[in-house]
Amino acid sequence: MVMRKLFVPMLVITAAMFAYSPIAIANAPYESTMRLVQKIFYYHFPAWMALTVSVTVCTVASAVYLFKGNARADRIAAAAAEITVIFGLFGLVSGSLWGRKAWGVWWQWDARLTMAFLLELIFFGYILVRNYGGPGAEKLAAAMGIFGGATAPFVYKSVDWWRTVHPKTSVMTTLGETSPQMWYVVWFCTFTILLFMGLLLAARIRLEEQRATLDRLYLEAED
Amino acid sequence: MRFLRIAWLVLRKDVAIELRSYEILSTTLFFAVACVAIFSFAFVREGQAPVDAAAGILWIAIAFSGTLALGRTFERERYGETLKALLLAPAPRPAIYLGKLLGIVALLFATEVIVVPMVAFLFSAPFFSRPGLLVALLGLGTIGYAAVGTLFAAMLVRARTRDVMLPILLYPITIPVIIAGVRGTSALLASPVDEPVAMLWIGLLSFFDVVFVTLSLWTFEPLMTE
Amino acid sequence: MSFDFDRVELSDLSRHFGRRKAVARVSLSLSAGDILGLLGPNGAGKSTLLGMLATLVAPTSGRVTYGGVNASERGQEIRARIGVLAHELHLYPELTARQNLEFFASLHGLADGTMVQTALESAALGDRGEDQVASFSRGMRQRLALERCLLHRPRLVLLDEPFTGLDDRAVRIVADRIRRIASEGAIVVLATHDLDVADGLITRMAVVRAGKLLTDAAIGSGVRQQYRALVESA
């Protein structure tokens, strides 16, 4: 209920922040080596943050559904899985554009790109099994959600040892000192995208909830 | 104790069935050999293969033939719905999982006993320079792969699309196992043998095994209740 | 035996698959000695109902209690007292009749060779124990499967179409066996759409259609007439 009341005001705020973000990004100072392409970072990094959040939501919700049989948790997990795929795709495309400039190739088997690619596969698998798994597919999908979340650290570690070309996470910590203005803009964009993700999630959950209500009404109408 | 006893009974039953026909072992083995052959054509140039290729080909063969073994093993439990009969046993349900897992692992080990020397022979790969490390890599990798595979194959028994779904779900989740297996094994192929790197991957594999076996035992019961 | 029960209660039990109601608000009470005929057309929800009684299917709402105890509390002990014979026979065709019985006996913690031999003889397979189940006819498998599910002397016996593929003589043998275990205190639930066989065997008739329980009444004979009357009036 609270979600529904807040939805429109939040939507307005997010839209305003989105509208302002290009201006903020344009006004941020140029980075010396990457020049214009560095601007991708202002959406690229937030997309990954959103992805991290949605993976976590999906994993936790899947576990709650599996052990408590809570249908609401299942709907949240389903919504989060789809959002993971969307932000994963966004991150992959923006990362690929970055890579074209930074490394001269569209795709580089770099640790984090690979990891993102694999996470994308896992959560695409979640959606596939949910849609084509037949009756009881929710449980199969929940297993995928739990194992997908649990496997992420291993994917990260293995891919990291396997190959690393990606700028280290330290970019974010040093950025605060070298260019406070860039740092602020990054966090502004991150906050915007996270809000956006929250809204998408809420809307998607609402859709699932209405589907569930429809199912229930059908069942009741039969009586 | 009852837990281990039930797991042992399930394992012994699976072995007894397999020993009557050798159907799964022979088809899995044949498939693994066919995989090795097919991937050899992709990598061998002018009669020579890059040294690293042997490790990759070995693990691909294990992963692919493992899927086949998983599918067939649970097809046996689906025919006659004996999986339901197992779940009806007055036993902790995770014990059934453990029994099935041990059966799959045994089957894959048996396959590896043939496939590993074969790959070593075909690619002149010095796999056996550090037998202890090789056994650790193969053992841990196989257990990790089979742990996830057994759970997913068991829960897919009731899905109509199980044949396509198993690889779709299993491969992305077990990628860390494959990476660790391949990198660890290639470290053994380097000259001199890169022992610290092999140990690094063995560590990752052990950790993976612990997490995923625990997770599977924990989720088996709710996953198997329709 | 540590845990036992002589009543099974189904209260307001439902199971939905999406928009399909496999079982809708079924309440029933079963007690020792009952042979409940669960009658209805294919797809009426009989198998789902049996699945829930067997603890294999989780209800969407409502519950099943065994002597007042919920399956989520003491699942293992309850399963130790349940015997299931489904349409798919729960036998390994690659193994011999004896190996099958021995395996399931040991799962139940029973390790008694004479019991397996007795079971083989009850199934009229005393001399076929060392043969693979794959070589058996449908009727032989069915008899073996029935003995398999009765090995551990279950209190609650769930039978899903146990007469398919049996000739008249075999049907009589199986029916007698069911009567005997009921007289010994078992609760038998028999799902079938074969009214002729049910006639004279079942002591209670529960008719389900589209997941709903239409009736539950004590009955001796004349199952077909009552069933007709019910289904046509509904």
Side-chain angles (χ1 to χ4, degrees):
Chain A
M1 286 306 108
V2 183
M3 260 333 276
R4 260 157 84 184
K5 266 186 195 151
L6 280 178
F7 191 83
V8 174
M10 291 306 276
L11 189 64
V12 173
I13 295 172
T14 312
M17 283 172 77
F18 244 122
Y20 176 68
S21 65
I23 303 167
I25 293 170
N27 287 336
Y30 268 71
E31 199 261 339
S32 52
T33 51
M34 292 294 292
R35 309 293 301 165
L36 188 65
V37 178
Q38 183 268 338
K39 305 277 186 200
I40 291 172
F41 185 75
Y42 294 113
Y43 281 152
H44 178 71
F45 174 76
W48 288 129
M49 294 298 282
L51 177 97
T52 314
V53 173
S54 59
V55 166
T56 313
V57 169
C58 182
T59 305
V60 172
S62 293
V64 171
Y65 169 64
L66 200 55
F67 288 99
K68 303 275 175 225
N70 183 335
R72 197 180 148 79
D74 179 48
R75 296 195 285 268
I76 294 174
E82 285 182 16
I83 285 167
T84 304
V85 170
I86 290 173
F87 279 99
L89 213 55
F90 184 79
L92 283 178
V93 171
S94 57
S96 175
L97 289 173
W98 174 288
R100 181 74 186 85
K101 178 72 182 170
W103 307 314
V105 283
W106 289 110
W107 183 263
Q108 172 73 264
W109 288 100
D110 144 76
R112 277 175 224 183
L113 268 180
T114 311
M115 152 134 187
F117 181 52
L118 295 177
L119 270 181
E120 190 74 6
L121 279 183
I122 290 172
F123 283 89
F124 215 88
Y126 178 102
I127 294 172
L128 283 178
V129 75
R130 210 183 161 84
N131 288 336
Y132 305 115
E138 297 83 11
K139 280 203 169 171
L140 308 186
M144 201 59 187
I146 294 173
F147 277 78
T151 209
F154 291 98
V155 174
Y156 177 74
K157 210 65 219 160
S158 59
V159 170
D160 192 36
W161 287 345
W162 175 52
R163 195 157 287 258
T164 295
V165 213
H166 198 281
K168 285 285 177 199
T169 327
S170 56
V171 171
M172 281 309 290
T173 43
T174 51
L175 200 59
E177 291 146 30
T178 52
S179 172
Q181 204 194 339
M182 280 161 80
W183 192 82
Y184 284 131
V185 175
V186 166
W187 282 111
F188 175 79
C189 290
T190 304
F191 193 60
T192 311
I193 297 266
L194 283 178
L195 267 179
F196 177 56
M197 187 214 79
L199 289 174
L200 272 182
L201 193 64
R204 191 63 188 78
I205 292 171
R206 176 122 177 82
L207 177 63
E208 283 294 316
E209 231 129 63
Q210 281 176 327
R211 275 191 190 151
T213 313
L214 193 61
D215 282 354
R216 210 185 58 236
L217 289 175
Y218 261 96
L219 288 170
E220 276 169 12
E222 267 179 37
D223 283 333
Chain B
M1 270 312 94
R2 176 148 182 73
F3 189 92
L4 291 179
R5 209 183 113 66
I6 295 288
W8 162 244
L9 286 171
V10 172
L11 170 67
R12 203 180 59 181
K13 182 267 303 171
D14 276 358
V15 171
I17 292 181
E18 184 54 28
L19 290 184
R20 285 203 157 247
S21 64
Y22 291 101
E23 180 214 317
I24 298 181
L25 182 61
S26 53
T27 48
T28 303
L29 193 56
F30 181 84
F31 187 69
V33 172
C35 277
V36 171
I38 288 171
F39 284 100
S40 306
F41 297 126
F43 291 112
V44 174
R45 290 271 176 286
E46 290 163 12
Q48 282 294 310
V51 185
D52 264 15
I57 289 169
L58 175 67
W59 281 94
I60 290 172
I62 293 172
F64 282 13
S65 55
T67 324
L68 198 77
L70 283 164
R72 279 300 300 155
T73 302
F74 280 93
E75 187 57 30
R76 254 180 204 165
E77 296 287 3
R78 199 182 68 85
Y79 182 88
E81 296 201 339
T82 42
L83 186 62
K84 280 189 186 165
L86 293 180
L87 295 174
L88 280 166
R93 282 178 174 157
I96 307 289
Y97 165 81
L98 187 64
K100 294 306 289 181
L101 170 62
L102 293 174
I104 300 280
V105 168
L107 205 56
L108 290 180
F109 280 169
T111 311
E112 284 160 16
V113 165
I114 309 286
V115 173
V116 175
M118 196 188 91
V119 174
F121 169 76
L122 290 177
F123 294 88
S124 344
F127 279 145
F128 302 103
S129 54
R130 289 282 192 288
L133 291 179
L134 179 75
V135 167
L137 279 167
L138 284 173
L140 292 168
T142 306
I143 291 170
Y145 183 79
V148 184
T150 305
L151 182 73
F152 282 19
M155 71 185 194
L156 282 169
V157 162
R158 60 172 191 268
R160 193 175 39 80
T161 47
R162 63 189 101 64
D163 298 336
V164 271
M165 279 303 162
L166 181 59
I168 284 180
L169 302 187
L170 182 56
Y171 292 156
I173 299 273
T174 51
I175 288 269
V177 172
I178 306 297
I179 295 179
V182 172
R183 296 331 304 167
T185 314
S186 357
L188 295 186
L189 298 181
S191 58
V193 172
D194 199 345
E195 222 167 278
V197 169
M199 287 308 292
L200 195 70
W201 292 112
I202 288 174
L204 186 82
L205 280 176
S206 330
F207 205 56
F208 184 95
D209 287 6
V210 170
V211 170
F212 279 70
V213 171
T214 313
L215 212 52
S216 300
L217 288 170
W218 191 48
T219 53
F220 186 72
E221 163 119 38
L223 277 175
M224 295 314 288
T225 319
E226 265 177 63
Chain C
M1 276 298 147
S2 47
F3 177 79
D4 204 356
F5 51 87
D6 57 4
R7 292 183 73 76
V8 175
E9 307 269 353
L10 290 72
S11 38
D12 219 12
L13 198 64
S14 299
R15 174 63 206 231
H16 305 158
F17 293 103
R19 280 184 197 171
R20 198 168 65 81
K21 277 186 210 171
V23 172
R25 313 197 63 171
V26 169
S27 294
L28 264 176
S29 166
L30 308 165
S31 42
D34 279 349
I35 305 179
L36 177 81
L38 201 57
L39 309 178
N42 288 331
K46 302 190 295 282
S47 295
T48 310
L49 201 53
L50 287 185
M52 286 193 282
L53 279 169
T55 77
L56 287 173
V57 178
T60 307
S61 62
R63 60 205 190 104
V64 187
T65 53
Y66 307 80
V69 180
N70 213 307
S72 58
E73 291 159 36
R74 302 173 75 171
Q76 287 183 49
E77 289 154 287
I78 289 170
R79 286 201 294 277
R81 310 294 299 136
I82 297 179
V84 178
L85 170 62
H87 181 65
E88 304 299 336
L89 294 173
H90 296 182
L91 292 170
Y92 293 98
E94 299 90 346
L95 297 179
T96 66
R98 186 184 300 280
Q99 281 174 321
N100 265 292
L101 292 177
E102 277 171 354
F103 171 64
F104 285 104
S106 54
L107 276 187
H108 280 274
L110 314 164
D112 184 355
T114 60
M115 197 184 54
V116 168
Q117 188 57 36
T118 317
L120 280 171
E121 268 149 29
S122 304
L125 292 167
D127 53 342
R128 298 293 302 271
E130 312 311 320
D131 292 352
Q132 269 190 37
V133 171
S135 68
F136 287 6
S137 70
R138 172 83 194 175
M140 292 159 82
R141 290 183 198 202
Q142 196 91 19
R143 297 197 307 266
L144 180 64
L146 180 66
E147 292 309 319
R148 185 204 71 75
C149 94
L150 299 177
L151 261 182
H152 55 289
R153 305 187 140 270
R155 171 68 73 172
L156 177 62
V157 180
L158 306 169
L159 308 169
D160 195 355
E161 303 285 358
F163 301 109
T164 24
L166 296 188
D167 57 29
D168 289 348
R169 199 178 66 90
V171 167
R172 271 199 307 282
I173 295 174
V174 171
D176 285 342
R177 188 82 174 92
I178 293 172
R179 272 191 208 99
R180 203 168 84 218
I181 55 171
S183 70
E184 286 165 8
I187 305 167
V188 181
V189 181
L190 171 70
T192 183
H193 63 269
D194 189 340
L195 302 176
D196 293 329
V197 177
D199 205 356
L201 170 62
I202 60 176
T203 62
R204 285 172 63 187
M205 175 169 95
V207 178
V208 283
R209 208 168 65 162
K212 275 184 279 220
L213 184 65
L214 298 182
T215 183
D216 167 27
I219 194 163
S221 59
V223 168
R224 182 172 287 275
Q225 292 86 326
Q226 289 212 22
Y227 181 80
R228 276 278 163 71
L230 247 161
V231 171
E232 273 154 26
S233 69

